[in-house]
Each structure stands twice: as C-alpha cells, then as structure tokens.
C-alpha cells in the first residue's frame, strides 16, 4: 500500500503524467512509435483503473457499495474494449492485390428484396462493366421480392435472374438458393446498394491463387453521409462512423487471419462454403457467423484494404438503429450457438477477434450505467465515486488526452474519443433492449430486418419517438439533477463527490444532446443522391458556348461552375462531360437538359468566376449507361 501511495502521490504522479503525455504527443507529431502510443495509452487507463479501485470506491453502505461496483463494472468493460482495440490495432497488415494466374470463373450475386430499381441499376452497371474476361464471370440478381420489374431490369443488362418461392433464411437463404443453381469457382457477393468499381474482380481474384484462401473481403465505403454527418451538418469535418473499423481494425484482424466477411463486397471460394453447408441461417448475422465456421476449418481469409466498391449508409436514425440492433442480436446468438471460445479449430488470435466483435455489441448496459450513475448522487444522495474533480481530471483526463492523440494517429483521423462516446450513447438504449431479449431466449428464431435504403423524405422527422424516449427521459433527469446539485453546491451544503457528479452529469448531458440532435432526420428532396465529382465540362445554350467544371453529379442532374455566365433559369441547354478516367468507356458523355437554378458568382480569388447553374431533373443523357458510368468512375 505504501508503494501505491507513493506512486499516486504528489509530485511523482504529476511528473509521471506529464512525461507519458509528452512522449505520446511527441511520437504522434513525429509520425512514429505507433505501438508505443498504443501501449502508453493502455498503461494510463490501467493506472486510472487501479486508482479507482483503491481510492475511490465508496463502501459506506450496501446501496452505495452496489452503485459503486456497478459503475466500476462498466469501466472494466471499457478497459477490456480498449485492450482488444490495442491488440487489433497493434500491427495491421497492409495487403496488396496480385494479378491472377488462372482466371477462375466467378458468379457475382446481387441480393435485393424491396429496394428501389434505381439502386439496383447502379450496382448492375458496376457489375457488368468488370475488367475481367467476359466469359469468366456471370452476374446473378437474387430477387427475394419476386418482382417482375426486377426481372426485366436484370435482363436489360444481360444478367441472370433467380427468385424463390419463399424467403426462409432471409439473405443467407437467398444466397444458398443461388449457390445450388450456379457453378462458378468463386462467388462475389454484393448488397443491392454496393456498386463495384470496374477493377473489383481484377484486384481481388488473384488472392485466390493461394489454395488456402477461402474468402476475400474489401472495405465498405459510402457515397452518402451517415446520420451523424448529415443530421448534424458535419459532412465536411466528420468522418464516416464505420471508417475506423474498415480502415484500421479489419486490417489488424487480417494480421491474425481473423478478418471476417462483412455481408457485401467480398468473394468466396465455393468449396469451403459447401463444406460448412453454405451461408449460415441460424443467426441474423450470417456474414460473421459464416466466416467463423470457415476459419474453424483451417482456411485462410484476406482483407484487401482498398476501396473497390461504394454503398449507401442507413439514411435515417430509425434505419441506423434497426441495422445495429440486428447486428447486436446476431452476435449474441452466435455466442450461444457457436461460441468462439469453445469452437474447435480456431486459433487463439481468431478466438480473441470474434470475441471482440461480440464484446463490442454488449456496450448497451455499461453505457446506460455510466449515463445514469450521476443521477444517484444528484437526486438520491448516493455517491458511487468518492474523488475530487482535480483527481478525476488528473487520472482520467490524462488517459482521455492520450486517447485523443492515439486515435488521431492510429485511425489516420477517422475517429476521435468524443465521437466514439456519442455513437455509443445514440445506440445504448436500443442495444441494451436487444441484448436483454436475446439473452432471455438466444435460441429463438429472430426475423432478419432489412435495412431500408433509398427512401425519400421531404420534411424533417423525429424518427420514431419511442426510440428516443429513453434518451429524452435520461436527459430530462440529468437536467433536473444538475439544477438540484447546483442548488446544494451554492447553499454550501455539498457532500463528498458532489462536484464530480456535477461534472459527470454535465458531460453526459452533452453526449445525450448531440445524440438526440443526430436523431432528427433532415429532409431530402432529391430522388437520387448528388456526389462530389470534379470534371471538365462544356455547356451550349442559345448559340453560346462556355467551358466549366462539374461540382456535383447524379443520374438526373448536375451542379456546374461555368467560366462565362450564359444561362438563365429555365433555359434549355446542351451539356458534355469530358470523361478523363480513360479505360474502354467513351470519353465524352453528353446530355440535354434545362437550367433549373442559377447561383451567384464566386469571389475574385476562386478559379471559376462566372455564375454556376444547376442542370436539374430535366437532364436526359443520350446514352444513359455511359453517363452513369461517369458517376461510378
């Protein structure tokens, strides 16, 4: 105990903190010492947890002891999460694509249920435009919605069409049905909203020259903002919520042969799939479950950390929560049906990898405990943590600062600690309920909830108030508790730990407020999403011609910056985009349309000083497919 008192006493603890933070900051600034930064950040958290256990647990009575242990349990969960993150981010594998020597046959599966045809059309354009021998791959549309218009669209692109009489097994059942009716050596799987680039097969098939490789996964990249970027109007400053996982953690798993199939943008060798009985239908997360059973048979996986397809993020808070609760349910189901800790055939690193995935989706309970713990002190006088604000800032603040630096360095700017807290706060209540109902009966068959995609919304919407009710109630109680705590503090009747609870409650209120704001879905009037695309172009109207650059493009229109203002609103025009990507597609893409809006001239320091115009819904491409390929390029 004397050693701990000296370690946590002044001035040693302060000098120790300054030294470690200085090393972390210096290494980050130099762009070196990735492993040292990870280790020192974890060390600071372990130091904080030991301090919490020895000096801050309140055991005054059984109620206080129970509250203190509950909070400490939540922090132990966080420590495990940080440890698993450090393990997977320690040494990511930078895998490179290799050219194929054999040219195996490939069946490309595109799954669809009830999504709009425009979304399917974009994906089929990418699928049929592969730079891979035409006689070596076949595109199949797997229609679980049994729609004739989908069949017609598939035929127009020369794709095969497969439907079934029932929808048993949901997406996994759909894939298995097609698996029995096709013969390709490899199988590429795409969700209906994921558009592959022309080189997808060219970049990935070569990895199967190693006979031990059973599947290859590529990152999920998205061309629309996620709900946090969009609803908080932070598209330009906030990175996609899934970027950390796909750009860092999957590459780290690949170093241990534990990267898993993520449901889309991946390829399988047919034989290993047949050996395990096809895609697994026992859980609602068929992707990770199938991957784990393939790994258990001794096969190898590859993660190619290169964007080769783009897709759609959930477009509303409700869709986002539906997706995440399905993932949480599926991971709990997998734990009981094929526990990675006991499943024969997995290596220890693979067990840790799959356990980390399950562990992450259990964060609902620990997060709710941390959100509500300050209320015990502010409203009921039960103090779970006995510490001064200065001590808390010293020990936890040091770890938090190190985490900010570490995440910025390791994730290459894709994530910071504040937004991690917001993401978990937004999900915690729905995930807690999903975990509880699944744990009560983990063997019960759960419905596969399809994430809605391509839904237009023309007015602001609070996505299903019932999903937000726990957040609103918790925020209201925190506000009431803060007012009560401030009253006690100002009346000079404070009790031990009041200041900590006030600080803690204020921080939780901030996280909840941001999460609630993110749930307010902004309206979307366009039927198709505009994407940033800078290409040289030319516009002709009333005998006048002007060069310019595109700023945004979609299938129905464009935002263009012209060198000379030659257009008026409502005026017909001729529009040509210079396709500078090369390849075997036409270089010049032409369209006729109407100027639906004029924007003012830019400032004198900008390169294009003329007025811009919006070529709106009247835009009609002379050849629709090449015009869309320009967007996909």
């Amino acid at each position: 105990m004397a050693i701990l008192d000296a370690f946590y006493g002044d001035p040693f603890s302060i000098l120790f903190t300054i030294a470690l933070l200085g090393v972390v900051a210096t290494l980050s600034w130099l762009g070196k010492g990735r492993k040292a930064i990870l280790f020192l950040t974890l060390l600071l958290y372990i130091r904080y947890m030991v301090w919490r256990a020895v000096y801050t647990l309140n055991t005054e009575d059984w109620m206080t002891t129970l509250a203190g242990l509950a909070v400490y349990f939540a922090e132990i969960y966080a420590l495990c999460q940080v440890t698993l993150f450090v393990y997977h981010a320690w040494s990511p594998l930078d895998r490179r694509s290799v050219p194929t020597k054999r040219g195996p046959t490939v069946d490309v599966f595109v799954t669809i249920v009830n999504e709009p045809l425009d979304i399917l059309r974009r994906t089929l354009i990418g699928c049929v435009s592969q730079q891979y021998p035409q006689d070596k791959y076949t595109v199949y549309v797997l229609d679980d919605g049994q729609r004739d218009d989908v069949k017609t669209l598939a035929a127009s692109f020369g794709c095969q069409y497969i439907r079934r009489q029932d929808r048993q097994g949901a997406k996994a059942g759909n894939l298995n049905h097609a698996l029995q009716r096709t013969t390709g050596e490899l199988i590429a799987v795409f969700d209906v909203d994921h558009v592959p680039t022309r080189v997808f097969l060219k970049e990935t098939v070569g990895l199967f020259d190693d006979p031990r490789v059973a599947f290859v996964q590529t990152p999920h990249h998205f061309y629309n903002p996620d709900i946090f970027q969009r609803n908080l109007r932070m598209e330009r400053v906030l990175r996609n919520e899934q970027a950390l996982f796909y750009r860092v953690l999957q590459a780290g798993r690949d170093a241990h042969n534990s990267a898993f199939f993520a449901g889309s943008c991946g390829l399988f060798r047919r034989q290993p799939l047949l050996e395990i009985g096809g895609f697994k239908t026992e859980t609602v997360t068929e992707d990770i479950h199938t991957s784990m059973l393939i790994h258990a048979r001794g096969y190898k996986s590859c993660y190619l950390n290169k964007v080769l397809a783009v897709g759609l993020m959930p477009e509303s808070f409700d869709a986002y929560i539906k997706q995440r609760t399905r993932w949480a349910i599926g991971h709990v189901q997998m734990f009981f049906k094929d526990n990675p800790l006991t499943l024969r055939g997995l290596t220890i690193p693979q067990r840790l990898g799959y356990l980390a995935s399950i562990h992450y989706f259990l964060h609902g309970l620990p997060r709710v405990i941390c959100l509500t713990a300050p209320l015990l002190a502010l409203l009921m006088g039960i103090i779970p943590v006995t510490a001064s604000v200065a001590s808390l800032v010293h020990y936890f603040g040091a770890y938090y600062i190190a985490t900010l630096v570490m995440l910025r360095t390791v994730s290459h700017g894709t994530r910071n600690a504040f937004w991690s807290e917001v993401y978990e706060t937004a999900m915690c209540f729905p995930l807690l309920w999903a975990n509880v109902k699944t744990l009560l009966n983990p063997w019960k068959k759960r419905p596969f909830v399809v994430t809605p995609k391509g839904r237009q919304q023309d007015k602001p919407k609070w996505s299903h108030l019932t999903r937000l009710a726990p957040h609103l109630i918790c925020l209201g109680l925190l506000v009431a508790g803060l007012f009560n705590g401030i009253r006690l503090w100002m009346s000079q009747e404070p009790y031990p730990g009041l200041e900590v609870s006030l600080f803690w409650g204020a921080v939780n209120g901030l996280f909840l407020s941001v999460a609630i704001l993110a749930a307010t879905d902004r309206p979307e009037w366009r039927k198709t999403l505009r994407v940033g695309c800078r290409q040289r172009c030319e516009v002709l109207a009333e005998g006048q011609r002007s060069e310019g650059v595109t700023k945004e493009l979609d299938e129905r229109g464009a935002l263009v910056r012209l060198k000379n203002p030659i257009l008026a609103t409502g005026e017909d025009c001729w529009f040509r985009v210079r396709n500078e990507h090369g390849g075997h597609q036409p270089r010049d893409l032409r369209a006729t349309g109407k100027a639906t809006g004029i924007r003012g001239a830019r400032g004198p320091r900008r390169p294009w000083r003329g007025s811009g115009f919006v070529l709106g819904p009247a835009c009609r491409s002379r050849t629709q497919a090449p015009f869309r390929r320009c967007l996909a390029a």
Side-chain angles (χ1 to χ4, degrees):
M1 192 65 182
I3 296 175
L4 284 177
D5 289 341
F7 181 74
Y8 286 101
D10 296 336
F12 180 82
S13 63
I14 296 176
L15 294 175
F16 184 79
T17 299
I18 294 173
L20 261 61
L21 289 179
V23 171
V24 169
T26 302
L27 290 175
S28 177
W29 182 71
L30 294 173
K32 300 179 180 179
R34 173 195 184 95
K35 295 178 180 179
I37 292 173
L38 287 166
F39 173 75
L40 293 177
T41 301
L42 181 60
L43 179 62
L44 284 169
Y45 199 15
I46 293 173
R47 182 186 70 150
Y48 163 75
M49 290 298 293
V50 173
W51 170 76
R52 281 277 288 113
V54 175
Y55 297 102
T56 68
L57 289 179
N58 191 350
T59 57
E60 183 178 350
D61 54 58
W62 72 271
M63 284 284 290
T64 303
T65 302
L66 186 62
L69 290 176
V71 173
Y72 195 69
F73 156 77
E75 292 184 298
I76 289 176
Y77 170 89
L79 175 61
C80 294
Q81 189 76 2
V82 172
T83 304
L84 290 169
F85 174 85
V86 168
Y87 173 71
H88 285 113
W90 190 259
S91 183
L93 182 62
D94 185 17
R95 188 182 296 276
R96 304 288 179 172
S97 58
V98 293
T100 181
K101 298 177 182 178
R102 300 186 301 111
T105 56
V106 183
D107 293 332
V108 180
F109 290 173
V110 180
T111 60
I112 183 172
V113 182
N114 55 7
E115 294 85 357
L117 288 183
D118 280 348
I119 294 179
L120 174 62
R121 184 179 290 108
R122 296 173 202 155
T123 300
L124 293 183
I125 289 170
C127 289
V128 302
S129 304
Q130 293 297 301
Q131 294 180 4
Y132 197 74
Q134 293 292 318
D135 60 338
K136 291 287 188 176
Y137 79 96
T138 306
V139 180
Y140 294 86
V141 177
L142 315 184
D143 180 20
D144 248 4
Q146 302 178 358
R147 293 186 289 170
D148 291 337
D149 52 357
V150 172
K151 182 177 181 180
T152 301
L153 180 62
S156 70
F157 281 95
C159 302
Q160 301 297 312
Y161 176 82
I162 299 178
R163 71 164 60 169
R164 53 186 182 145
Q165 297 303 314
D166 57 56
R167 292 172 58 177
Q168 290 186 355
K171 179 182 174 181
N174 193 9
L175 292 168
N176 289 336
H177 180 258
L179 195 64
Q180 299 169 4
R181 286 158 176 77
T182 55
T183 59
E185 182 181 343
L186 304 181
I187 297 165
V189 180
F190 294 100
D191 285 344
V192 66
D193 59 296
H194 280 102
V195 184
T197 63
R198 294 193 293 262
V199 297
F200 184 91
L201 295 180
K202 180 181 178 181
E203 296 281 347
T204 54
V205 168
L207 294 170
F208 286 94
D209 286 353
D210 181 349
R212 299 172 301 166
V213 173
F215 65 91
V216 173
Q217 178 64 47
T218 65
H220 286 193
H221 186 76
F222 305 95
Y223 60 90
N224 67 321
D226 65 36
I227 62 164
F228 299 95
Q229 294 172 304
R230 183 172 180 273
N231 293 339
L232 298 175
R233 302 176 186 270
M234 300 186 69
E235 294 95 330
R236 296 182 181 275
V237 296
L238 184 62
R239 296 292 294 273
N240 185 277
E241 180 243 353
Q242 292 195 48
L244 177 66
F245 173 75
Y246 284 109
R247 306 306 288 178
V248 179
L249 295 180
Q250 276 278 58
R253 291 170 180 266
D254 196 28
H256 310 293
N257 192 30
S258 61
F260 61 83
F261 173 55
S264 183
C265 309
L267 291 91
F268 284 88
R269 195 187 299 273
R270 181 179 292 269
Q271 185 57 36
L273 270 177
L274 296 177
E275 289 179 16
I276 65 168
F279 293 91
K280 308 315 294 179
T281 60
E282 294 86 350
T283 64
V284 293
T285 47
E286 82 295 330
D287 43 15
I288 188 172
H289 193 184
T290 300
S291 303
M292 185 173 69
L293 294 182
I294 288 177
H295 277 140
R297 297 187 71 87
Y299 285 104
K300 182 180 176 182
S301 62
C302 295
Y303 183 70
L304 183 60
N305 198 356
K306 185 176 184 179
V307 175
L308 296 173
V310 292
L312 282 171
M313 282 291 288
E315 297 156 295
S316 69
F317 183 74
D318 185 58
Y320 171 80
I321 293 301
K322 284 181 179 178
Q323 183 187 69
R324 300 314 159 96
T325 53
R326 174 169 61 83
W327 292 352
I329 290 170
H331 280 76
V332 174
Q333 288 178 320
M334 187 176 74
F335 180 79
F336 284 92
K337 293 179 183 296
D338 289 298
N339 192 323
L341 297 179
T342 58
L343 183 64
R344 294 184 63 181
L346 293 178
T347 65
I348 291 178
Q350 288 172 339
R351 296 183 194 279
L352 287 175
Y354 287 107
L355 181 64
S357 298
I358 296 170
H359 183 268
Y360 173 77
F361 284 102
L362 298 176
H363 73 249
L365 178 59
R367 175 62 54 179
V368 170
I369 289 174
C370 289
L371 284 175
T372 57
L375 295 174
L376 297 175
L378 297 174
L379 295 179
M380 302 174 63
I382 299 174
I383 310 298
V385 178
T386 57
S388 66
V389 173
S391 297
L392 187 66
V393 169
H394 176 197
Y395 293 109
F396 184 77
Y399 157 71
Y400 194 80
I401 292 171
T403 301
L404 290 172
V405 177
M406 178 269 290
L407 282 176
R408 182 177 179 83
T409 304
V410 172
S411 72
H412 308 292
T414 60
R415 181 69 67 87
N416 68 44
F418 174 82
W419 288 107
S420 293
E421 301 284 344
V422 171
Y423 298 150
E424 292 190 5
T425 299
M427 290 188 287
C428 65
F429 291 104
L431 258 61
L432 174 58
W433 172 239
N435 289 335
V436 169
K437 69 180 182 181
T438 308
L439 286 169
L440 291 176
N441 190 356
W443 292 275
K444 179 181 177 180
K445 194 73 174 177
R446 304 284 175 177
F448 186 97
V449 180
V450 178
T451 305
K453 297 288 178 68
R455 304 293 174 83
Q456 187 181 8
Q457 180 179 299
D458 57 3
K459 60 183 179 179
K461 176 183 177 184
W462 288 80
S463 298
H464 294 274
L465 190 60
T466 53
R467 294 194 186 276
L468 283 174
H471 299 80
L472 293 169
I473 292 171
C474 187
L475 180 61
L477 291 173
L478 278 172
V479 171
L482 289 171
F483 273 111
N484 186 54
I486 292 171
R487 179 186 62 81
L488 292 173
W489 185 75
M490 294 182 67
S491 64
Q492 298 184 349
E493 298 179 14
Y495 41 82
L498 176 61
E499 293 86 354
V500 169
S501 297
L502 283 170
F503 176 76
W504 192 0
V507 172
N508 285 349
L510 175 62
F511 293 148
L512 282 165
S513 298
V514 176
I516 290 170
L517 287 174
T520 311
D521 294 324
R522 289 172 53 196
E524 179 58 65
W525 293 277
R526 288 195 180 109
K527 294 182 179 179
T528 56
L529 181 73
R530 287 277 174 90
V531 295
C533 183
R534 187 178 179 88
Q535 299 242 80
R536 290 191 300 165
C537 66
E538 187 178 21
V539 173
L540 177 66
E542 297 294 333
Q544 300 184 69
R545 186 184 303 270
S546 178
E547 292 186 344
V549 290
T550 63
K551 305 291 288 184
E552 298 174 354
L553 281 175
D554 64 19
E555 295 99 324
R556 298 172 181 266
L559 174 63
V560 179
R561 180 69 58 187
L562 292 180
K563 213 169 189 180
N564 302 307
I566 63 172
L567 283 169
T569 300
E571 190 173 358
D572 291 331
C573 61
W574 176 87
F575 174 60
R576 182 178 72 172
V577 177
R578 298 177 183 175
N579 186 3
E580 297 166 348
H581 293 282
H584 62 279
Q585 302 299 339
R587 287 182 177 274
D588 292 339
L589 308 176
R590 298 173 174 84
T592 58
K594 188 183 297 290
T596 59
I598 304 294
R599 299 187 180 181
R602 294 187 123 180
R605 296 185 181 179
R606 301 301 180 96
W608 297 98
R609 303 182 184 180
S611 296
F613 80 96
V614 180
L615 184 68
C619 174
R620 298 178 296 278
S621 173
R622 293 185 180 180
T623 309
Q624 281 191 332
F627 194 70
R628 290 193 176 97
R629 288 190 187 106
C630 175
L631 304 180

